[in-house]
């Protein structure tokens, strides 16, 4: 096997790498051989985790629509079988479905794996892993990659076998049953025109397997066919082109709701009947409004870049807004911690569209998030109301900007950490700078009217040599004003490329 830097394949609690040639400067490192070896390591790790012999283990594997998906799934199956694990090939699936394969009645898998790289370009791919307690943690992935690097796996006395299963149909049927039971009707979406934009990812199943059986008119749905070249737009609710695509489709078809999923369907966004996007702060507000009706006073855990208006919205409805770190595993783990320590928390959700509900194993599941919205739509229709009314009083910033400044220093984490620490001290001495309390990531500073009427958050990227800067303001020109206050400090750091911030100040 060619030399592989196994550690470089780790991306937090996932594995990500380049699986196909085609982009200059991005050599392939997630080869079939690498995936086969990682799968062997997962089999060995799972045997130790469960206390079962490898020959008695059963693992389900699914994939998204990427071009490299079939070959990498086959490689993963070979690796597991080589160490004695039996495999069920679920084919085209979603990441949430692969977790649900562990907890659905009639299925007895010990672990599962999803071949996906979410919304990343066509040449990338990756691996996500699950056990019955949920997705693996960062330390688990490090341990599996360490085993992969050690190699030397003994051949199983009896190789595992491979079966096939259309599990996405089983998973979809579960969603249909959930919606019917909660809405109290066999066809609760009769009379609704709901369209889906799957972006040629894995979410196309939602039309025929979920919406149609519930009675929805789905005419106008688009890009449902899996195509790993993503010829129309990136499947990503955070992407402007993708959101404009579903927004335009809603208006053109006069639909009641537009739904958009990312490639592996663990994230979702939506568009209301008026063509207004329901993503970022707005989708957090919507699911918060729904859950606060069901669980008054519950805590809502979000990532760090949510707006001040969202905090006021949640608290105005009697909830607790617990702003935490970026990273879907971070917000999920924080929600689990709060519940364990006695604070009711029903949802952990990022502005990216990763939403995990307590009632659904704290699994970040875009399709389940949409299912909750569909249930509410059906209930509201009986009262002559629509879902956009649930977030009508959400105060949104007049201006918002995200800038990403590259760190040029070799040890970017040390450099960025020292910069943020110094900014904290600097901010204490600046008139009008109000440091947000209970901030878990970077430094967040508020400014009153006349001083920018908003806030900035400066933090260090989780994995890349980048310092993202988010600025929001409720006043025209406020973002520029706040940027101007921060720039003199940032400009003094020669190994930080702050040209984008300078341009914002001077523009």
């Amino acid at each position: 096997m060619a030399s592989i830097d196994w550690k470089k394949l780790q991306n937090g609690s996932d594995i990500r790498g380049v699986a196909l040639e085609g982009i200059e400067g991005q050599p392939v490192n997630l080869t079939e051989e690498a995936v086969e070896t990682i799968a062997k390591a997962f089999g060995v790790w799972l045997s130790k985790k469960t206390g079962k012999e490898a020959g008695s283990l059963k693992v389900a594997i699914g994939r998204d629509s990427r071009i490299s998906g079939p070959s990498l799934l086959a490689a993963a199956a070979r690796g597991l079988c080589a160490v004695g694990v039996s495999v069920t090939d679920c084919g085209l699936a979603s990441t949430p479905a692969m977790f649900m394969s562990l907890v659905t009645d009639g299925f007895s898998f010990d672990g599962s794996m999803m071949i996906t790289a979410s919304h990343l370009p066509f040449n990338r791919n990756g691996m996500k892993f699950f056990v019955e307690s949920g997705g693996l943690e960062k330390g688990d992935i490090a341990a599996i990659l360490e085993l992969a690097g050690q190699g030397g796996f003994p051949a199983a006395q009896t190789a595992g076998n491979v079966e096939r299963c259309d599990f996405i149909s089983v998973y979809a049927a579960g969603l249909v049953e959930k919606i019917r039971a909660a809405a109290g009707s066999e066809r609760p979406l009769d009379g609704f025109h709901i369209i889906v934009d799957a972006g040629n990812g894995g979410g196309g199943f939602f039309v025929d397997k979920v919406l149609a059986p519930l009675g929805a008119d789905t005419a106008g749905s688009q890009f449902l066919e899996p195509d790993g070249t993503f010829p129309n737009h990136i499947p990503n609710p955070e992407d402007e082109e993708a959101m404009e695509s579903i927004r335009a489709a809603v208006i053109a078809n006069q639909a009641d709701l537009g739904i958009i999923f990312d490639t592996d369907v663990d994230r979702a966004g939506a568009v209301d009947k008026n063509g207004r996007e329901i993503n970022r702060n707005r989708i957090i507000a919507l699911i918060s409004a729904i859950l606060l009706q069901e669980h008054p006073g519950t805590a809502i855990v979000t990532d760090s870049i949510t707006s001040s208006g969202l905090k006021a919205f949640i608290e105005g409805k009697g909830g607790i807004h617990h702003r935490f770190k970026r990273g879907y595993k971070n917000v999920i783990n924080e929600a689990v911690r709060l519940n364990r320590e006695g604070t009711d928390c029903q949802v952990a959700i990022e502005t990216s569209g990763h939403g995990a509900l307590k009632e659904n194993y704290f699994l970040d599941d875009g399709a389940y998030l949409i299912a909750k919205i569909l249930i509410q739509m059906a209930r509201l229709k009986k009262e002559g109301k629509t879902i956009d009314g649930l977030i009508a009083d959400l105060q949104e910033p007049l201006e918002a900007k995200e800038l990403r400044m590259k760190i040029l220093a070799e040890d970017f984490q040390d450099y960025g950490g020292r910069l943020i620490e110094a900014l904290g001290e600097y901010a204490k001495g600046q008139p009008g700078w109000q440091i947000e309390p209970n901030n878990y990531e970077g430094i967040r500073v508020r400014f009153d009217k006349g001083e920018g009427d908003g806030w900035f958050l400066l933090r260090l990227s989780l994995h890349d040599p980048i310092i993202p800067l988010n600025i929001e303001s409720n006043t025209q020109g406020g973002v520029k004003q706040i940027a101007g206050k921060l720039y003199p400090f940032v400009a003094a750091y020669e190994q930080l490329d702050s040209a984008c911030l300078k341009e914002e100040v001077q523009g």
Side-chain angles (χ1 to χ4, degrees), residues 9 52 66 77 105 190 228 241 316 323 337 350 420 422 433:
L9 291 175
K52 297 181 179 181
R66 293 172 182 279
D105 289 343
D190 268 337
E241 182 184 0
R323 189 189 289 123
R337 182 190 70 81
E350 274 199 306
I420 290 169
W433 291 41

Side-chain angles (χ1 to χ4, degrees), residues 306-327:
T306 50
S307 71
S308 300
L310 178 66
K311 181 179 180 66
F313 177 86
I314 292 171
E315 293 177 350
K317 295 192 179 301
I320 300 168
H321 182 209
H322 187 88
R323 189 189 289 123
F324 197 60
K325 300 176 183 177
R326 290 280 276 176

Side-chain angles (χ1 to χ4, degrees), residues 58-189:
K58 298 179 180 179
V59 170
I61 312 178
R63 62 173 178 84
D64 67 19
S65 62
R66 293 172 182 279
I67 302 169
S68 57
S71 62
L72 294 189
L73 189 154
R78 286 196 302 273
L80 286 165
C81 289
V83 295
V85 178
S86 291
V87 172
T88 295
D89 176 355
C90 296
L92 189 68
S94 72
T95 294
M98 295 320 299
F99 169 76
M100 292 303 294
S101 72
L102 308 182
V103 296
T104 299
D105 289 343
F107 295 85
S108 56
F109 299 116
D110 300 287
S112 63
M113 184 188 305
M114 180 69 177
I115 308 296
T116 182
S118 188
H119 62 281
L120 293 182
F122 78 95
N123 67 324
R124 304 295 186 93
N125 217 324
M127 306 166 78
K128 294 182 179 181
F129 304 89
F130 295 97
V131 291
E132 190 175 358
S133 59
L136 299 197
E137 300 291 341
K138 183 177 180 180
D140 299 325
I141 300 300
I144 289 168
L145 288 174
E146 184 176 355
L147 286 171
Q150 292 170 359
F153 303 102
Q157 291 183 345
T158 303
N161 63 305
V162 179
E163 298 179 346
R164 286 177 172 76
C165 173
D166 176 23
F167 190 78
I168 196 68
S169 293
V170 177
Y171 164 81
L175 289 177
V176 170
E177 182 180 347
K178 164 76 177 178
I179 295 168
R180 282 174 174 162
S185 170
E186 188 74 9
R187 292 172 61 87
L189 301 183

Side-chain angles (χ1 to χ4, degrees), residues 19 60 64 77 114 120 124 168 223 239 261 268 336 350 354 373 394 397 417 442 468 479-480 489-490 499:
D64 67 19
M114 180 69 177
L120 293 182
R124 304 295 186 93
I168 196 68
F223 315 139
D239 182 73
F261 295 115
V336 171
E350 274 199 306
H354 277 287
I373 294 171
L394 173 65
V479 164
K480 181 177 180 178
F489 172 86
V490 170

Side-chain angles (χ1 to χ4, degrees), residues 99 151 177 192 194 204 300 369 411 481:
F99 169 76
E177 182 180 347
F192 282 111
I194 301 173
I300 312 291
L369 191 67
D411 189 344
Q481 187 176 0

